[in-house]
Structure formats: structure tokens, C-alpha cells
Amino acid sequence: MSDEEVAYALRWNNNIAMMMIGLMSYEYILQFEKEVKFVWTREWSLMTYLYLAARYFGLLLAMICACWGGLMYIPEPVSVSMLSFFKGFRVDLDSVLQVYCYTLVVLLEWGFSIYLWLAEAILIWRLYALYNRSQSILYVLLGTFLLIVALSIGMDIFLYSRPSAFSVKEIVTPNVKYCTSSFNIGPMPAIYASIPIVCFDVFLVALAILVLVRHLRERREIKMKPNTYIVLIVRCHIIYFVLNLTNQILTAVLWTDIPPAVTSLAEGFINTAPFIAAPRLIIDIWESHTNDNCTHISTAFEDCICWTLPPVSEQYEMDYA
């Protein structure tokens, strides 16, 4: 890359990084009051742990990506300290820095996969609640989910853990050094890797829509309004499916030879949208079933449930919300 191309890519990289930091910070501040109300002031359940993992692990990944970006700046103190450390050894410092960058990028890619599994687990738990805690549905979903996890691990090893397929290259300018990702194979393996994940998401969305259609039919027969809780869960499933489909497409696009601007925009979406959608899938549903005088959720999906002093039986149901 020429100096002009590096400067152009760096401007896009920095602009998207600032956008990511601003967006994630705004999202955190916006949801903090709700988090205090629905998480820190009530008894924790499995969904609470899933929320906290999605919230803070996603925030960590997003901030690391924003600080490093697609063009990862190698700070001068790091170079100097490494140079001092390896001074007495016959070691190529440039190779050490490339290994440092490569390890960071690979760890981030594995982190994205772990977060995807976490988000899918949230969707599965919601469907389990929608189907009245059906054990057969849970076993089918968990069995399929474990297959997806196994396939995802295999594809991550094939795509990102082999230097022949994925590596980093060093970009040297008169003042600083950068390293950036180098996708050494075409987009087809990444496309093949996304197909099982997309099919699994289609399966989850189909199950959610099936519940909604059945619910709407039953409510229409007795001339009642649809339950807002069921409608909201299905809507969240559909929104997450669209976001994840877009995420998989953009991930495959990164393996093609695209301009730096498109690369930065794609990475900006990949590194923010999933980390915002998954926690909102939980906390928005909690919020939809409360008002100023109510503090308890029941997964029996009743339209009006006061939270002030919930019965013991409803406290158990709350764990599935």
C-alpha cells in the first residue's frame, strides 16, 4: 500500500472506531438505569447471568475492536520494550510484532464466535419459555445448538487459526507501524461456514412465528387482543435473525478484495450491532412487563401482572423471563 492508501484507510479506520466507541458508550449509558432496576435490585436467575455475559463480554469485545480497529497501531512503547527484551536474543522483532498482532486478531475472532453462541443460547431459552417449558423442544434445540457449536469451532480453526488462510501483514510508514488482517483465501469457505448458522436461525425464527400464529388464532377465536409479551419475543427473534444474517454476509464479504471504506463500514457493523441486539433482547422484554408500580415478571405470559409482592409460584416462573 502506498502512503496515500494507508492514510485513506487510516482515516476510515479512525472514524469508524470513534463511531463504535460513541455508539457503545451511548448504549451503555442509555440502558444502565434499566440494568440497575431489572438486574442489580432483584434476585438473579439464569437469564440474568446470560444478560450480564452478553452485556459486558460484548462491551469488552466492541471496545477492543474500536481501540485497535482494522489497522492495528503498534505503539512505540511496545516496540521499544520488545526490542529491549529481545536485545540479547537472535529474534526478528518484526516477526514478534506480527505474532503479537496475529494472536490478538485470532483471539477476537474466537471471541466473536463465543458471543454468537451466547446470543443463540438466549434465543433458545426464550423459545423454551414460549413453548411452556417443553422438554422435547429444549432437547431438540440444545442438540442442534451443540452441532452448530461444533461446526463453528471447526470452521474457526480452518479459517482463522491457520496462517495459510488468515494472517496479518505489517504496514510501515515514516512515523508509525501498523498491522492489518490478510485474508489469503476466497470468500467461499466463509460462506459455507455461515450456512449452518443461518439455517439454525431460520429454524428458531420459524418456531417463534409458529407460536405467534397459533396464539393469534386462539386470541381471535375468543375475541381478545394478542399477548404483548409473545408478540415482543417473536419480533425480537425476527430482528436478531435479520441482524445476524447481515452479520454473516458482511463477514463473508471481508474475505474478498474490497476498498478500505467498505471494510471499515462492514467491521463497524460486525463489531457493534450484535453486542447491542443480544442484551436488548432480554432487557426490553423485562421492561415491557413492568410499570412504575410493578416489579415482577411471570412467564405465564399474562397481560397484566403486578410485581409488588409476587406469589412464590410466580417467582419460579420469573426465572424464564
Side-chain angles (χ1 to χ4, degrees):
M1 297 177 68
S2 65
D3 291 344
E4 292 78 10
E5 292 174 328
V6 171
Y8 175 73
L10 183 59
R11 282 196 299 271
W12 269 102
N13 181 79
N14 292 343
N15 291 337
I16 295 299
M18 293 304 298
M19 180 273 293
M20 291 170 56
I21 293 174
L23 185 60
M24 294 303 298
S25 300
Y26 174 76
E27 171 68 13
Y28 182 82
I29 295 172
L30 189 67
Q31 300 298 321
F32 183 73
E33 182 180 357
K34 300 176 185 178
E35 179 180 318
V36 172
K37 183 176 182 179
F38 299 123
V39 176
W40 301 109
T41 59
R42 59 175 259 192
E43 186 177 351
W44 286 14
S45 64
L46 175 60
M47 190 56 70
T48 308
Y49 291 108
L50 289 174
Y51 168 81
L52 291 174
R55 170 86 151 164
Y56 289 100
F57 184 54
L59 183 63
L60 175 65
L61 289 176
M63 287 304 180
I64 292 176
C65 292
C67 291
W68 289 94
L71 277 173
M72 293 181 290
Y73 167 55
I74 303 176
E76 186 65 25
V78 173
S79 301
V80 172
S81 62
M82 283 188 168
L83 181 61
S84 300
F85 179 79
F86 291 107
K87 187 175 181 180
F89 301 91
R90 295 180 179 274
V91 177
D92 184 4
L93 180 60
D94 291 338
S95 299
V96 173
L97 293 176
Q98 287 190 11
V99 171
Y100 165 74
C101 292
Y102 175 78
T103 303
L104 177 63
V105 174
V106 171
L107 289 177
L108 284 175
E109 294 298 337
W110 278 92
F112 295 151
S113 295
I114 294 173
Y115 192 87
L116 172 65
W117 305 337
L118 181 63
E120 300 288 2
I122 294 172
L123 296 179
I124 289 173
W125 197 246
R126 289 298 187 192
L127 280 175
Y128 178 50
L130 278 179
Y131 278 86
N132 296 319
R133 302 193 292 277
S134 170
Q135 295 295 320
S136 58
I137 286 291
L138 181 62
Y139 293 151
V140 170
L141 292 177
L142 287 179
T144 311
F145 174 66
L146 291 177
L147 289 176
I148 293 297
V149 170
L151 288 172
S152 180
I153 291 174
M155 292 309 299
D156 278 350
I157 294 174
F158 179 78
L159 290 176
Y160 297 107
S161 300
R162 298 183 309 124
S164 60
F166 178 80
S167 61
V168 296
K169 58 184 179 181
E170 190 179 68
I171 299 175
V172 181
T173 65
N175 298 318
V176 293
K177 293 181 179 180
Y178 296 90
C179 59
T180 187
S181 303
S182 177
F183 300 93
N184 304 324
I185 58 178
M188 294 311 298
I191 294 175
Y192 295 147
S194 66
I195 291 176
I197 298 174
V198 173
C199 291
F200 182 65
D201 286 341
V202 170
F203 178 54
L204 296 181
V205 169
L207 289 176
I209 293 176
L210 182 61
V211 170
L212 178 61
V213 171
R214 186 175 60 188
H215 173 73
L216 293 177
R217 185 185 303 114
E218 293 173 352
R219 288 300 177 102
R220 187 168 55 249
E221 290 175 355
I222 59 178
K223 297 181 179 179
M224 289 185 62
K225 293 175 60 178
N227 186 290
T228 55
Y229 190 33
I230 295 180
V231 174
L232 180 59
I233 288 181
V234 175
R235 184 174 64 187
C236 288
H237 272 72
I238 295 173
I239 292 174
Y240 182 81
F241 167 73
V242 173
L243 289 176
N244 195 36
L245 178 62
T246 306
N247 187 75
Q248 296 298 324
I249 293 173
L250 292 177
T251 301
V253 166
L254 289 178
W255 287 83
T256 61
D257 187 14
I258 55 178
V262 180
T263 301
S264 297
L265 289 172
E267 290 179 341
F269 181 90
I270 293 171
N271 298 335
T272 53
F275 308 138
I276 293 175
R280 276 183 171 268
L281 175 61
I282 301 175
I283 206 163
D284 285 353
I285 294 175
W286 285 341
E287 185 185 24
S288 69
H289 278 259
T290 185
N291 52 47
D292 294 337
N293 299 318
C294 291
T295 54
H296 178 66
I297 296 174
S298 169
T299 54
F301 307 142
E302 299 298 333
D303 288 313
C304 299
I305 298 175
C306 188
W307 283 30
T308 41
L309 292 174
V312 177
S313 61
E314 289 187 2
Q315 182 66 37
Y316 174 76
E317 292 176 346
M318 179 181 176
D319 294 343
Y320 295 89

